[in-house]
Short mmCIF file of all heavy atoms in Angstrom, two decimals:
data_model
loop_
_atom_site.label_atom_id
_atom_site.label_comp_id
_atom_site.label_asym_id
_atom_site.label_seq_id
_atom_site.Cartn_x
_atom_site.Cartn_y
_atom_site.Cartn_z
N ILE A 1303 26.31 -16.84 -9.73
CA ILE A 1303 27.42 -16.07 -9.16
C ILE A 1303 28.25 -15.53 -10.31
O ILE A 1303 28.59 -16.25 -11.24
CB ILE A 1303 28.26 -16.95 -8.21
CG1 ILE A 1303 27.37 -17.31 -7.01
CG2 ILE A 1303 29.53 -16.23 -7.74
CD1 ILE A 1303 27.90 -18.36 -6.09
N THR A 1327 16.65 -14.32 0.55
CA THR A 1327 16.21 -15.62 1.10
C THR A 1327 15.26 -16.30 0.11
O THR A 1327 14.80 -15.68 -0.85
CB THR A 1327 15.42 -15.42 2.42
OG1 THR A 1327 14.25 -14.64 2.12
CG2 THR A 1327 16.25 -14.71 3.47
N ASN A 1335 11.96 -17.67 9.36
CA ASN A 1335 12.81 -18.64 10.08
C ASN A 1335 14.17 -18.02 10.40
O ASN A 1335 14.66 -18.10 11.53
CB ASN A 1335 13.06 -19.91 9.25
CG ASN A 1335 11.83 -20.51 8.60
OD1 ASN A 1335 11.92 -21.16 7.57
ND2 ASN A 1335 10.66 -20.29 9.17
N ILE A 1336 14.78 -17.42 9.38
CA ILE A 1336 16.16 -16.92 9.55
C ILE A 1336 16.20 -15.69 10.46
O ILE A 1336 17.10 -15.55 11.28
CB ILE A 1336 16.79 -16.65 8.17
CG1 ILE A 1336 17.01 -18.01 7.50
CG2 ILE A 1336 18.11 -15.88 8.29
CD1 ILE A 1336 17.66 -17.97 6.16
N ARG A 1346 20.93 -15.21 22.91
CA ARG A 1346 20.90 -16.49 23.63
C ARG A 1346 21.85 -16.53 24.82
O ARG A 1346 21.50 -16.99 25.90
CB ARG A 1346 21.21 -17.63 22.66
CG ARG A 1346 20.98 -19.00 23.27
CD ARG A 1346 21.12 -20.08 22.23
NE ARG A 1346 22.22 -19.79 21.30
CZ ARG A 1346 22.22 -20.15 20.02
NH1 ARG A 1346 21.18 -20.77 19.52
NH2 ARG A 1346 23.24 -19.87 19.25
N SER A 1382 -7.46 -6.21 16.83
CA SER A 1382 -8.91 -6.41 16.70
C SER A 1382 -9.53 -5.44 15.71
O SER A 1382 -9.02 -4.33 15.51
CB SER A 1382 -9.59 -6.18 18.05
OG SER A 1382 -8.93 -6.93 19.03
N GLN A 1399 1.72 -4.17 26.08
CA GLN A 1399 2.80 -3.73 26.99
C GLN A 1399 3.25 -4.90 27.88
O GLN A 1399 4.44 -5.17 28.02
CB GLN A 1399 2.26 -2.58 27.87
CG GLN A 1399 3.18 -2.18 29.01
CD GLN A 1399 3.87 -0.85 28.72
OE1 GLN A 1399 3.31 -0.01 28.02
NE2 GLN A 1399 5.06 -0.67 29.24
N SER A 1414 -1.88 -6.36 7.82
CA SER A 1414 -2.38 -7.62 8.38
C SER A 1414 -3.08 -8.49 7.35
O SER A 1414 -3.81 -7.99 6.50
CB SER A 1414 -3.40 -7.34 9.48
OG SER A 1414 -2.81 -6.66 10.53
N ALA A 1433 8.98 -1.41 22.42
CA ALA A 1433 9.94 -2.50 22.23
C ALA A 1433 11.36 -1.97 22.48
O ALA A 1433 12.15 -2.60 23.19
CB ALA A 1433 9.82 -3.08 20.83
N ASP A 1454 1.05 7.93 1.83
CA ASP A 1454 1.80 9.00 2.51
C ASP A 1454 2.60 8.51 3.70
O ASP A 1454 3.74 8.89 3.90
CB ASP A 1454 0.83 10.07 3.03
CG ASP A 1454 0.26 10.87 1.87
OD1 ASP A 1454 0.86 10.80 0.78
OD2 ASP A 1454 -0.78 11.53 2.07
N VAL A 1475 2.66 -9.30 -3.42
CA VAL A 1475 2.34 -8.12 -4.23
C VAL A 1475 2.80 -8.34 -5.67
O VAL A 1475 2.14 -7.91 -6.61
CB VAL A 1475 3.00 -6.87 -3.61
CG1 VAL A 1475 2.73 -5.63 -4.46
CG2 VAL A 1475 2.49 -6.66 -2.19
N ARG A 1482 10.10 -18.47 -5.13
CA ARG A 1482 10.62 -18.40 -3.75
C ARG A 1482 11.76 -17.39 -3.62
O ARG A 1482 12.90 -17.73 -3.29
CB ARG A 1482 11.09 -19.79 -3.25
CG ARG A 1482 10.19 -20.94 -3.55
CD ARG A 1482 8.78 -20.75 -3.00
NE ARG A 1482 8.75 -20.51 -1.58
CZ ARG A 1482 7.99 -19.56 -1.01
NH1 ARG A 1482 7.21 -18.78 -1.75
NH2 ARG A 1482 8.01 -19.39 0.29
N ALA A 1508 19.07 -20.59 -4.97
CA ALA A 1508 18.87 -21.31 -6.22
C ALA A 1508 19.08 -20.36 -7.40
O ALA A 1508 18.58 -19.23 -7.38
CB ALA A 1508 17.46 -21.88 -6.27
N ALA A 1574 -17.98 -21.28 3.38
CA ALA A 1574 -17.05 -21.61 2.27
C ALA A 1574 -17.26 -23.04 1.77
O ALA A 1574 -17.26 -23.28 0.55
CB ALA A 1574 -15.60 -21.45 2.76
N SER A 1592 -7.36 -16.93 12.91
CA SER A 1592 -7.57 -16.77 14.34
C SER A 1592 -8.91 -17.39 14.74
O SER A 1592 -9.87 -17.32 13.96
CB SER A 1592 -7.59 -15.28 14.71
OG SER A 1592 -8.11 -15.11 16.01
N TRP A 1603 -9.55 -9.18 -4.58
CA TRP A 1603 -9.88 -8.68 -5.93
C TRP A 1603 -8.60 -8.69 -6.78
O TRP A 1603 -8.33 -7.79 -7.55
CB TRP A 1603 -10.51 -7.28 -5.87
CG TRP A 1603 -9.76 -6.32 -4.99
CD1 TRP A 1603 -8.82 -5.42 -5.37
CD2 TRP A 1603 -9.91 -6.16 -3.57
NE1 TRP A 1603 -8.35 -4.72 -4.29
CE2 TRP A 1603 -9.00 -5.15 -3.17
CE3 TRP A 1603 -10.70 -6.77 -2.60
CZ2 TRP A 1603 -8.87 -4.75 -1.84
CZ3 TRP A 1603 -10.56 -6.36 -1.28
CH2 TRP A 1603 -9.67 -5.37 -0.92
N SER A 1604 -7.85 -9.78 -6.61
CA SER A 1604 -6.52 -9.88 -7.22
C SER A 1604 -6.55 -10.55 -8.59
O SER A 1604 -5.50 -10.87 -9.13
CB SER A 1604 -5.62 -10.69 -6.28
OG SER A 1604 -6.23 -11.95 -5.98
N PHE A 1610 -13.19 -11.67 -12.36
CA PHE A 1610 -13.67 -11.19 -11.06
C PHE A 1610 -15.19 -11.00 -11.09
O PHE A 1610 -15.89 -11.35 -10.14
CB PHE A 1610 -12.97 -9.87 -10.68
CG PHE A 1610 -13.33 -9.40 -9.30
CD1 PHE A 1610 -12.77 -10.00 -8.18
CD2 PHE A 1610 -14.25 -8.38 -9.11
CE1 PHE A 1610 -13.11 -9.58 -6.89
CE2 PHE A 1610 -14.60 -7.95 -7.84
CZ PHE A 1610 -14.03 -8.56 -6.73
#
Side-chain angles (χ1 to χ4, degrees):
I1303 294 169
T1327 62
N1335 313 153
I1336 291 182
R1346 189 172 39 212
S1382 310
Q1399 171 106 29
S1414 298
D1454 288 343
V1475 178
R1482 316 302 304 135
S1592 166
W1603 48 95
S1604 55
F1610 186 77

